[in-house]
């Protein structure tokens, strides 16, 4: 029994380091605080040619995105710029995303508004930029559907998220920097949730194999009706390319705008 406890303790690693770090001197530090408020600090990058700031994504098979509630917007009923915390499976914050858009667009273009989402690490360095132009999302306008441009680092395009026309299901593709399709995301026929999670399946291009999913978690009747705070989970293989994972983070933001922006949409 004692040997088993010792083995478990070794697998957890020393305090102040994320699980999986092989060497405490070269591990991934976390800031000491309450367990629910821990944040990750970048350590030395792993081997390989990864975009700076995305090294930690190479270890993750679950990425959690939590929208922060704007109390002023709730009280006044106005549309405020969205903010999101991006966390690992332990609830430790790894990135923070802020929407940059003008009040006119948020008021009159609503969920179709053009905006830029800037994603920074815990040191405040911008590592991902998501550009969203003003576009349609109706099946009656198949030539001008939704699209996101993903830059990592800012200024270097690594991929796109593009909506594809379909008369029945919401469909999107993850594309590389050359706009070549890599993966497909297929949503449900109804995104209302109906008191449960809403899953968007991540599939191969031919849609024959499902490799993961993006889930909008149902947070309860009271939260969904009286706040705009949405929670998402990205479930993908840990060895998936980090630029594809970055594009899926952008896809979460797009789904939030398109399907869950208003209070009752999450029900």
């Amino acid at each position: 029994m004692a040997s088993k406890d010792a083995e478990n303790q070794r697998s957890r690693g020393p305090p102040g380091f994320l699980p999986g770090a092989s060497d405490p001197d070269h591990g991934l530090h976390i800031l000491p605080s309450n367990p629910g408020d821990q944040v990750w600090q970048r350590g030395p990058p792993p081997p390989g040619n990864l975009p700076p700031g995305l090294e930690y994504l190479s270890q993750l098979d679950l990425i959690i995105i939590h929208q922060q509630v704007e109390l002023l917007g709730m009280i006044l009923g106005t549309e405020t710029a969205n903010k999101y915390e991006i966390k690992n499976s332990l609830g430790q914050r790894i990135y923070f995303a802020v929407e940059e858009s003008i009040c006119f667009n948020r008021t009159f273009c609503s969920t179709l508004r053009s905006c830029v989402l800037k994603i920074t690490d815990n040191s405040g360095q911008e590592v991902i930029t998501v550009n969203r132009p003003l576009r349609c999302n109706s099946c009656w306008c198949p030539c001008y559907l939704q699209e996101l441009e993903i830059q990592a680092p800012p200024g270097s395009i690594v991929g796109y998220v593009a909506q594809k026309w379909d008369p029945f299901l919401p469909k999107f593709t993850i594309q590389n920097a050359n706009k070549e399709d890599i993966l497909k995301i297929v949503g449900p026929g109804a995104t209302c949730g109906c008191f449960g999670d809403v899953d968007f399946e991540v599939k191969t291009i031919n849609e024959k194999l499902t490799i993961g999913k993006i889930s909008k978690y149902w947070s309860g009747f009271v939260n969904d009706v009286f706040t705009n705070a949405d929670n998402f989970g990205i479930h993908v293989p840990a060895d998936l390319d980090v630029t594809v994972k970055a594009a899926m983070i952008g896809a979460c933001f797009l789904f939030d705008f398109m399907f869950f922006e208003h209070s009752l949409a999450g029900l």
Side-chain angles (χ1 to χ4, degrees):
M1 184 69 177
S3 61
K4 186 175 181 180
D5 291 340
E7 183 179 350
N8 291 337
Q9 183 63 37
R10 285 195 300 270
S11 66
R12 294 191 189 101
F17 292 87
L18 289 181
S22 57
D23 185 345
D25 294 329
H26 298 86
L28 301 171
H29 296 264
I30 57 176
L31 297 178
S33 61
N34 294 327
D37 299 325
Q38 290 178 342
V39 295
W40 170 79
Q41 276 189 328
R42 188 192 306 173
N49 186 22
L50 301 179
L54 302 191
E55 299 90 354
Y56 185 53
L57 287 181
S58 64
Q59 307 176 37
L60 300 183
D61 59 2
L62 172 60
I63 303 169
I64 297 171
I65 298 179
H66 172 69
Q67 184 180 5
Q68 289 195 332
V69 179
E70 292 291 340
L71 294 179
L72 181 62
M74 289 173 54
I75 296 172
L76 300 180
T78 57
E79 193 69 61
T80 58
N82 290 345
K83 297 179 181 178
Y84 304 88
E85 284 188 304
I86 302 172
K87 303 178 180 181
N88 61 15
S89 60
L90 300 178
Q92 300 161 339
R93 192 178 76 187
I94 54 177
Y95 301 118
F96 188 72
V98 178
E99 174 194 349
E100 290 189 354
S101 59
I102 61 175
C103 182
F104 178 89
N105 282 349
R106 293 195 301 271
T107 302
F108 294 100
C109 299
S110 188
T111 61
L112 297 178
R113 63 185 179 268
S114 62
C115 63
V116 176
L117 288 126
K118 295 189 174 183
I119 303 175
T120 57
D121 61 17
N122 289 313
S123 67
Q125 179 179 348
E126 186 178 348
V127 294
I128 305 172
T129 301
V130 179
N131 290 316
R132 185 199 188 199
L134 178 64
R135 283 176 172 259
C136 301
N137 66 354
S138 170
C139 63
W140 302 110
C141 302
C143 298
Y144 206 63
L145 296 176
Q146 291 291 305
E147 182 177 276
L148 296 182
E149 177 189 83
I150 313 298
Q151 300 178 6
S156 178
I157 298 174
V158 296
Y160 297 86
V161 180
Q163 183 183 10
K164 296 299 181 180
W165 184 87
D166 188 276
F168 305 110
L169 299 175
K171 292 188 177 182
F172 304 82
T173 57
I174 302 293
Q175 302 174 332
N176 62 18
N178 297 320
K179 290 201 169 184
E180 299 168 334
D181 293 347
I182 300 175
L183 293 172
K184 186 170 287 187
I185 303 175
V186 181
T191 57
C192 63
C194 295
F195 307 103
D197 296 346
V198 179
D199 292 332
F200 295 78
E201 294 185 335
V202 181
K203 297 176 175 286
T204 54
I205 293 302
N206 59 15
E207 299 187 27
K208 291 184 178 180
L209 180 64
T210 300
I211 68 162
K213 65 179 180 178
I214 297 176
S215 298
K216 192 274 182 182
Y217 298 135
W218 183 62
S219 54
F221 178 82
V222 174
N223 283 340
D224 276 340
V225 171
F226 295 105
T227 75
N228 283 324
D230 294 317
N231 297 290
F232 294 87
I234 303 173
H235 304 257
V236 290
D239 59 355
L240 191 66
D241 189 286
V242 294
T243 59
V244 178
K245 292 181 181 179
M248 289 190 177
I249 291 174
C252 278
F253 299 149
L254 181 60
F255 297 163
D256 188 30
F257 282 118
M258 293 180 63
F259 305 114
F260 310 110
E261 178 78 7
H262 297 299
S263 299
L264 293 179
L267 290 179

